[in-house]
Amino acid sequence: MTDLANLQDSALSRIAAAEDADALEALRIEYLGKQGSISALMKTVGKMSPEERQEQAPKIQGARTAVADAIAARKDAFEAQELERKLASERLDLTLPAPGAPKGSVHPVSQVMDELAEIFADLGFSVATGPEIEDDWHNFTALNMAETHPARAMHDTFYFPDRDADGNRMLLRTHTSPVQIRSMMKQGAPIRIIAPGRVYRSDSDATHTPMFHQVEGLVIDRDINLGHLKWTLETFLKAFFERDDIVLRLRPSYFPFTEPSVEVDVGWQDVNGRKVLGGDGDAPGHGWMELLGSGMVNRRVIEFAGLDPDEWQGFAWGLGVDRLAMLKYGMDDLRAFFDGDQRWLDHYGFSPFDQPTLSAGVGAGA
Ligand code: DAH
């Protein structure tokens, strides 16, 4: 066997025995690299006599091709092996536990609004909305508060400098009551709606923030009376606080948009130094807490909204959503609601998967 044949044989057997891609690369450099032994032979071709070259060049070239092909084939084999290994080791394991629930939680105000929607849907109410940038006609005039009405002054209204095309002053709505007007004008009667949403007043302390939340309720139909109002609010409050012993007290009051008007109080009892809703407020050690404003819709309001007050009447109420959340879930400071403090949200927030239902309870499922 010639030296060349020996060289080729040993190269091929070493390539076949190479253990990995690194070892293979080392062999490629050893034989075919710039200083490689086969490369060195290639260089000798130029110095050969024509006859010798004719005989030797094809052999050297043949050895080079054989070694290069063997290296390429082995390389392919290593790559295929590597792919197999990856496929085997990176296979998706469907038996692993699912990743944790997404971070983030439902704010108690949103949770309470969902609870309200759920409870009132069961009583046949739909959810209505209105703009937060209102005009003073919807916010005041149509609710029986004329331009000079003293109740306007009590609302600490944020006004915009400009008026709308009809000359109405624009403002941030001070209550959700204008949605009563908009719903009656849009839908006509009969009507059963709740209107939860943001409202604004220039006011700020531990129990007041310039932006807060109310929910309005409105029922307009034929032959509606105060008894319907009381039953509806009682049924709602029992479902909301998940207690059968909720007792209401209706006190005469005044709102321009209702006649008669009532202030609705709820009985509470002392449980370990905390006021807990439930029980007769007149019982020893108990008391009454003012919860919401309500009344039979003033006939002037029904007229303003374009309906005939001799045919249609009804009742309305308005209450603070933030206050409901505080009472139900035990937060003390309203300002913390809107600070966006992650720790507060982690503590008081709700799982997005915990949808309020009447059958499973509208409150926290946790
Ligand atoms: N809009 C009143 C307020 O913000 C609350 C209210 C009282 C709403 C009586 C009503 C109602 O619908 O009948 O102070």
Side-chain angles (χ1 to χ4, degrees):
M1 239 200 214
T2 62
D3 287 350
L4 182 62
N6 274 336
L7 179 66
Q8 179 175 332
D9 264 9
S10 96
L12 293 183
S13 58
R14 287 178 71 195
I15 289 165
E19 264 175 16
D20 54 26
D22 289 345
L24 189 65
E25 177 62 6
L27 290 174
R28 187 190 67 76
I29 293 166
E30 183 177 333
Y31 291 105
L32 304 177
K34 265 195 191 145
Q35 322 283 338
S37 45
I38 294 182
S39 308
L41 287 175
M42 296 287 287
K43 283 177 200 153
T44 60
V45 172
K47 294 173 196 137
M48 290 176 184
S49 65
E51 296 76 24
E52 200 182 358
R53 183 182 310 150
Q54 211 168 31
E55 196 200 320
Q56 291 300 322
K59 288 183 182 162
I60 295 172
Q61 184 58 45
R64 201 192 101 93
T65 307
V67 169
D69 287 353
I71 288 175
R74 192 90 181 106
K75 197 171 167 202
D76 285 350
F78 281 140
E79 276 170 7
Q81 254 176 32
E82 176 63 11
L83 186 63
E84 281 300 316
R85 194 191 60 73
K86 269 197 177 160
L87 285 176
S89 68
E90 292 173 9
R91 193 171 42 198
L92 200 60
D93 184 352
L94 298 178
T95 65
L96 285 173
K103 256 209 168 300
S105 54
V106 176
H107 193 283
V109 169
S110 304
Q111 171 77 13
V112 165
M113 285 182 174
D114 288 348
E115 294 178 13
L116 294 170
E118 174 69 21
I119 293 167
F120 279 105
D122 203 50
L123 298 175
F125 287 65
S126 53
V127 173
T129 55
E132 288 169 31
I133 296 177
E134 258 299 3
D135 55 64
D136 66 357
W137 189 83
H138 287 92
N139 196 82
F140 292 126
T141 312
L143 289 161
N144 199 28
M145 284 182 266
E147 196 103 22
T148 53
H149 199 290
R152 284 198 181 200
M154 284 156 51
H155 276 221
D156 299 311
T157 311
F158 288 113
Y159 283 100
F160 287 91
D162 303 328
R163 290 172 187 260
D164 75 359
D166 301 324
N168 284 313
R169 284 186 84 177
M170 301 304 288
L171 47 83
L172 290 176
R173 69 178 180 189
T174 57
H175 51 178
T176 43
S177 303
V179 184
Q180 289 188 33
I181 307 296
R182 290 185 176 275
S183 299
M184 281 190 271
M185 294 179 83
K186 196 165 125 199
Q187 264 176 254
I191 202 167
R192 282 188 211 178
I193 50 132
I194 59 165
R198 279 186 280 268
V199 300
Y200 303 83
R201 290 185 200 181
S202 176
D203 206 353
S204 188
D205 59 38
T207 53
H208 297 89
T209 46
M211 185 283 303
F212 58 106
H213 300 84
Q214 286 188 336
V215 59
E216 195 78 10
L218 175 68
V219 171
I220 297 283
D221 209 327
R222 299 182 171 95
D223 302 322
I224 295 289
N225 61 50
L226 266 179
H228 298 124
L229 182 165
K230 190 176 183 201
W231 181 88
T232 303
L233 292 177
E234 200 173 272
T235 304
F236 149 59
L237 291 169
K238 282 179 178 173
F240 180 77
F241 288 108
E242 299 181 71
R243 295 182 71 113
D244 283 333
D245 62 347
I246 296 287
V247 182
L248 300 191
R249 182 178 74 174
L250 270 53
R251 253 184 314 117
S253 181
Y254 172 76
F255 299 103
F257 30 90
T258 44
E259 181 59 37
S261 301
V262 292
E263 203 82 59
V264 179
D265 299 338
V266 183
W268 57 263
Q269 47 199 289
D270 190 307
V271 178
N272 302 326
R274 236 196 145 86
K275 283 182 187 173
V276 174
L277 293 190
D280 180 354
D282 284 330
H286 290 215
W288 295 106
M289 183 186 298
E290 186 182 312
L291 197 61
L292 60 107
S294 183
M296 301 304 292
V297 179
N298 191 311
R299 49 185 294 127
R300 287 179 57 93
V301 172
I302 295 178
E303 254 167 15
F304 269 120
L307 298 175
D308 177 359
D310 290 325
E311 185 181 1
W312 303 105
Q313 60 286 150
F315 61 89
W317 75 91
L319 86 158
V321 175
D322 315 293
R323 175 100 189 292
L324 279 182
M326 291 169 86
L327 282 172
K328 183 165 178 177
Y329 296 116
M331 308 82 159
D332 292 324
D333 192 337
L334 177 63
R335 288 168 296 196
F337 273 57
F338 311 120
D339 281 348
D341 185 328
Q342 192 64 52
R343 293 162 302 178
W344 190 92
L345 293 166
D346 284 345
H347 185 79
Y348 288 112
F350 293 82
S351 159
F353 299 115
D354 176 29
Q355 295 292 326
T357 65
L358 286 176
S359 54
V362 289

